[in-house]
């Protein structure tokens, strides 16, 4: 069933409000960003027809079986700690969220919005449309402020970066992504209200509202992890961040400085090399190429340096295997990949969980698209635990003070929405 949508924002708000009453919902919004690899503007998967929950060990095999049994639309998430299944790694840092490492569901209802039309895929499409039309939007403009605590003080963070750079000096690693958690205990929030406000304050091309029972992923991610379009795989790692300026001329200068900044270029090219290497595991020989290098893309608060790496997928290699071959994404690990992940387990003070993982979908034609879970609030409403991670790339030339400020810059939209400070 395809219906015209006169007021796109209103329709999406009503649809999401209705969807959020179900045990599971995955809302993916491109926020009208121009994306040559996007298949739609918004996707809303609603209700559980079938599901799979798995922990690191044989999670990808379980998902492979689930996919075979559910060849239509499925949506879900991969947690960062699936690394422990792929490599000889472990995770022992504290975890306040207790999310599974992997969760996917086949929806009862699906809404795909493209332009000014919505396709409703359901056993009773008219009932879905009527339920959406009947929604009376709740006013969520006033929310109690939530103050986030930090796992690291500024000085502790700087000391940790100094320690990491000693490993770089010794040649143990070249670059890594060092992450810190901001969190709140006994936190009571309205997840739908928080996401609505976050998506308004910081609209991004891979924004996500994901609910699974008491667990929520509220994301404003600008980054694509991996997509499949036909036989083509696409990865778009982000490395390089600069704060936007209100003045147009000053903002343009910031863009030029980012485009020519030696450290940011070094970070980006090292991760591009890593992504190219990861893609070779799934690619037909000789097809891996960098489609765009050092592209500058502008968002609400920041300019980002984004590169695009593509390849042709090997014949008979499954979509799930292609994802596993590149997971976790290089932009959130470092190089060499395994050494960086091992080292960050020593320096970080919290389990990453879904942060640094991916949320997305597989479609009936076996295409897929997954984001990188960054700029994202994670919330366990049963435990009343709220978590937000921020990270930055540490290289030989990194300035610890500036990297700390970059973490705060990445947290700016979330802090604004929560109304509190770290």
């Amino acid at each position: 069933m395809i219906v015209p949508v006169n007021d796109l924002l209103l329709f999406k708000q009503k649809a999401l409000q209705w969807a959020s009453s179900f045990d599971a919902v995955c809302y993916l919004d491109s926020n009208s960003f121009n994306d040559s690899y996007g298949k739609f503007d918004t996707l809303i998967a609603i209700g559980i027809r079938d599901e799979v929950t798995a922990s690191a060990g044989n999670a990808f095999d379980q998902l492979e079986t689930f996919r075979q049994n559910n060849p239509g639309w499925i949506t879900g998430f991969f947690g960062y700690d699936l690394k422990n299944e792929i490599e000889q790694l472990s995770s022992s840092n504290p975890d306040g969220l207790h999310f599974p490492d992997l969760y996917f569901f086949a929806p009862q209802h699906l809404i795909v919005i493209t332009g000014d039309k919505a396709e409703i895929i359901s056993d009773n499409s008219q009932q879905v449309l009527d339920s959406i039309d009947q929604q009376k939007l709740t006013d969520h403009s006033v929310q109690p402020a939530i103050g986030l605590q930090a796992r690291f003080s500024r000085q502790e963070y700087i000391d940790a970066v100094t320690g990491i750079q000693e490993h770089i000096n010794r040649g143990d690693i070249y670059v890594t992504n060092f992450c810190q958690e901001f969190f709140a205990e006994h936190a009571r929030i309205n997840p739908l209200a928080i996401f609505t406000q976050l998506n308004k304050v910081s609209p991004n091309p891979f924004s996500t509202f994901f609910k699974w029972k008491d667990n929520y992923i509220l994301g404003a991610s600008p980054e694509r992890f991996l997509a499949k379009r036909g036989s083509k795989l696409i990865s778009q790692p982000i490395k390089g961040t600069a704060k936007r300026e209100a003045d147009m001329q000053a903002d343009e200068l910031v863009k030029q400085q980012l485009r020519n900044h030696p450290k940011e270029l070094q970070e980006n090219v090292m991760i591009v090399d890593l992504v190219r290497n990861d893609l070779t595991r799934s690619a037909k020989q000789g097809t891996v190429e960098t489609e765009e290098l050092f592209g500058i893309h502008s968002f609400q608060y920041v300019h980002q340096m984004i590169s695009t790496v593509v390849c042709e997928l090997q014949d008979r290699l499954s979509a799930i295997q292609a994802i596993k071959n590149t997971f976790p994404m290089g932009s959130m690990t470092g190089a060499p990949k395994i050494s960086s992940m091992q080292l960050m387990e020593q320096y970080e003070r919290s389990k990453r969980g879904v942060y640094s993982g991916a949320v997305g979908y597989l479609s009936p034609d076996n295409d897929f698209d997954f984001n990188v879970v960054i700029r994202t609030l994670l919330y366990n409403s049963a435990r009343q635990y709220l978590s937000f991670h921020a990270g930055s790339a540490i290289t030989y030339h990194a300035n610890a003070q500036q990297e700390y400020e970059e973490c705060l810059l990445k947290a700016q939209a979330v802090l604004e929405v929560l109304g509190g400070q770290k």
Side-chain angles (χ1 to χ4, degrees):
M1 177 182 184
I2 299 176
V3 297
V5 179
N6 296 322
D7 188 330
L8 185 59
L9 179 59
L10 181 63
F11 181 84
K12 290 196 294 185
Q13 288 176 332
K14 283 186 172 184
L16 181 54
Q17 181 170 285
W18 173 71
S20 66
S21 65
F22 287 74
D23 274 348
V25 57
C26 177
Y27 176 93
L28 305 173
D29 196 345
S30 70
N31 285 299
S32 301
F33 273 81
N34 183 26
D35 177 8
S36 57
Y37 290 113
K39 294 189 78 164
F40 48 76
D41 297 324
T42 306
L43 180 143
I44 315 174
I46 307 151
I48 302 169
R49 186 168 51 78
D50 196 7
E51 63 183 345
V52 60
T53 307
S55 300
N58 66 341
F60 284 98
D61 288 342
Q62 288 188 57
L63 180 59
E64 197 82 72
T65 300
F66 180 78
R67 180 58 176 160
Q68 290 167 6
N69 295 333
N70 295 275
W73 291 91
I74 63 171
T75 66
F77 63 79
F78 299 97
Y80 170 77
D81 296 283
L82 287 171
K83 65 183 176 61
N84 304 334
E85 175 177 327
I86 298 167
E87 306 291 352
Q88 293 296 311
L89 298 167
S90 62
S91 303
S92 57
N93 284 322
D95 176 20
L97 287 163
H98 300 277
F99 281 22
D101 291 324
L102 178 149
Y103 175 76
F104 275 78
F105 72 99
Q108 295 171 320
H109 317 289
L110 192 95
I111 302 170
V112 181
I113 301 171
T114 306
D116 60 356
K117 291 183 173 59
E119 181 180 8
I120 301 173
I121 303 169
S122 170
D123 291 340
N124 195 333
S125 300
Q126 188 60 52
Q127 189 178 57
V128 170
L129 181 60
D130 292 343
S131 298
I132 293 170
D133 286 341
Q134 291 162 12
Q135 292 293 304
K136 299 283 191 283
L137 289 181
T138 305
D139 182 9
H140 298 306
S141 56
V142 179
Q143 291 288 315
I146 300 288
L148 296 178
Q149 304 177 58
R151 291 285 176 198
F152 288 82
S153 68
R154 179 186 291 265
Q155 189 56 51
E156 287 171 337
Y157 176 90
I158 290 169
D159 291 344
V161 170
T162 301
I164 292 167
Q165 286 178 315
E166 290 175 2
H167 287 276
I168 294 172
N169 289 337
R170 290 202 297 267
D172 299 335
I173 57 171
Y174 309 116
V175 59
T176 192
N177 196 294
F178 175 46
C179 303
Q180 58 174 320
E181 183 190 27
F182 302 90
F183 68 99
E185 297 172 308
H186 313 296
R188 293 186 179 184
I189 65 168
N190 182 320
L192 180 57
I194 292 294
F195 172 75
T196 300
Q197 184 64 15
L198 179 61
N199 203 37
K200 180 180 178 182
V201 169
S202 184
N204 278 305
F206 298 98
S207 293
T208 305
F209 177 95
F210 195 102
K211 174 189 177 183
W212 171 61
K213 296 181 181 176
D214 297 319
N215 307 305
Y216 294 87
I217 302 168
L218 315 173
S221 175
E223 183 171 1
R224 171 179 276 128
F225 157 47
L226 192 68
K228 176 179 173 288
R229 297 291 178 256
S231 62
K232 187 176 185 178
L233 291 181
I234 306 103
S235 184
Q236 294 181 300
I238 292 179
K239 272 288 165 273
T241 304
K243 183 178 181 179
R244 297 203 64 174
E245 297 289 343
D247 178 77
M248 190 178 296
Q249 283 186 316
D251 195 52
E252 187 60 34
L253 180 60
V254 169
K255 283 177 66 174
Q256 295 300 326
Q257 290 172 338
L258 176 60
R259 184 176 281 113
N260 297 295
H261 195 290
K263 174 191 173 287
E264 308 288 14
L265 295 171
Q266 180 192 42
E267 284 178 22
N268 196 286
V269 77
M270 282 194 286
I271 298 307
V272 165
D273 285 344
L274 175 58
V275 171
R276 287 175 61 92
N277 183 66
D278 282 348
L279 285 180
T280 58
R281 300 177 185 179
S282 305
K284 290 182 178 178
Q285 188 171 359
T287 65
V288 177
E289 61 176 312
T290 304
E291 202 168 71
E292 181 183 33
L293 186 63
F294 307 145
I296 305 298
H297 299 253
S298 301
F299 302 93
Q300 190 82 1
Y301 288 98
V302 295
H303 299 295
Q304 304 271 200
M305 187 181 290
I306 306 177
S307 294
T308 300
V309 187
V310 301
C311 73
E312 287 295 313
L313 183 65
Q314 293 172 17
D315 296 333
R316 293 181 294 280
L317 189 74
S318 75
I320 307 303
Q321 187 61 47
I323 294 167
K324 182 180 179 181
N325 284 347
T326 55
F327 194 84
M329 63 289 303
S331 62
M332 298 305 295
T333 57
K337 196 170 186 178
I338 296 173
S339 299
S340 296
M341 290 190 287
Q342 287 174 328
L343 197 60
M344 289 309 94
E345 283 296 329
Q346 298 174 34
Y347 278 90
E348 292 174 3
R349 295 182 176 178
S350 52
K351 184 178 178 180
R352 292 195 190 181
V354 177
Y355 174 75
S356 295
V359 177
Y361 69 86
L362 288 93
S363 55
D365 59 4
N366 231 25
D367 277 1
F368 61 76
D369 204 353
F370 286 87
N371 70 4
V372 178
V373 180
I374 53 176
R375 323 286 162 84
T376 296
L377 270 169
L378 303 172
Y379 181 52
N380 184 320
S381 62
R383 294 176 177 269
Q384 296 183 358
Y385 189 87
L386 186 66
S387 175
F388 174 83
H389 277 80
S392 62
I394 309 303
T395 65
Y396 174 82
H397 295 290
N399 179 295
Q401 295 266 13
Q402 291 175 2
E403 297 303 325
Y404 186 82
E405 293 301 326
E406 182 176 311
C407 286
L408 297 186
L409 174 61
K410 291 171 178 175
Q412 186 174 340
V414 169
L415 293 173
E416 181 179 327
V417 168
L418 293 178
Q421 296 300 316
K422 64 178 184 59

